[in-house]
Amino acid sequence: MSIRINEDRCIGCGRCTEACPGNLILLQDGAAGRKAKIREVRDCWGCTACMKECPVS
Ligand code: SF4
Ligand code: SF4
């Protein structure tokens, strides 16, 4: 299982990047602003720590 980040909803707060025990999420600046991005989807083991921290679910 892997998470999927909804870039339309992400506000770039960075909480998920701190929550991930595997340090799998980074913040990336783009045209739509700062968004979370998962480094390698296959590395995610679905612990959901990032989802619990995300203010926009
Ligand atoms: S589900 Fe767990 S392992 Fe996967 S990105 Fe979120 S915090 Fe990291
Ligand atoms: S916690 Fe949610 S809103 Fe904050 S950077 Fe991560 S995905 Fe975006």
Side-chain angles (χ1 to χ4, degrees):
M1 183 195 135
S2 166
I3 57 133
R4 187 178 56 81
I5 296 164
N6 184 334
E7 290 199 357
D8 291 337
R9 292 175 69 173
C10 175
I11 56 171
C13 70
R15 285 192 212 173
C16 56
T17 66
E18 287 163 29
C20 180
N23 195 25
L24 297 179
I25 309 174
L26 52 88
L27 286 175
Q28 218 170 48
D29 288 313
R34 185 161 286 187
K35 303 287 179 183
K37 191 168 167 54
I38 188 155
R39 292 180 207 273
E40 185 55 71
V41 172
R42 283 173 300 179
D43 290 343
C44 170
W45 62 94
C47 72
T48 71
C50 54
M51 291 165 67
K52 287 175 190 145
E53 287 297 321
C54 181
V56 295
S57 306

